[in-house]
Amino acid sequence: MSLDFFGQTADGPDGPPKCSAKGCRSAASWVLVWNNPKLHAPDRRKTWLACPEHREHLSQFLGVRGFLRDTVALDDWDGTEQ
């Protein structure tokens, strides 16, 4: 994995990337790509990370608001998805 979410190495100073769900400290395996069209330019993309347990919940949260743009496996993420 070449992605650098937290520091100089892919694992970062606190270990591997963690799930973005509140209170979850599990390793992330998914990238949820989103933007809020009321706040962000159409080409702006933000990301949340998700563990397998929280992927569906976080996807639904973003999806019902019309924010979810893509879901990509963390191992396949290169930061260029639009």
Side-chain angles (χ1 to χ4, degrees):
M1 177 181 348
S2 63
L3 188 59
D4 180 3
F5 274 106
F6 301 107
Q8 295 180 2
T9 66
D11 283 346
D14 297 324
K18 303 283 191 261
C19 180
S20 297
K22 185 175 182 179
C24 184
R25 300 305 303 154
S26 297
S29 54
W30 296 97
V31 179
L32 306 177
V33 183
W34 64 279
N35 85 336
N36 180 340
K38 292 182 181 179
L39 300 176
H40 306 120
D43 60 342
R44 170 87 188 270
R45 294 295 183 260
K46 298 183 66 92
T47 57
W48 280 356
L49 301 177
C51 66
E53 181 180 347
H54 291 111
R55 175 186 172 196
E56 186 62 29
H57 172 74
L58 293 173
S59 294
Q60 286 179 353
F61 179 89
L62 294 168
V64 299
R65 290 158 178 80
F67 296 173
L68 187 62
R69 301 293 174 247
D70 201 2
T71 302
V72 181
L74 182 60
D75 290 339
D76 296 335
W77 175 251
D78 66 7
T80 62
E81 280 75 7
Q82 297 268 341

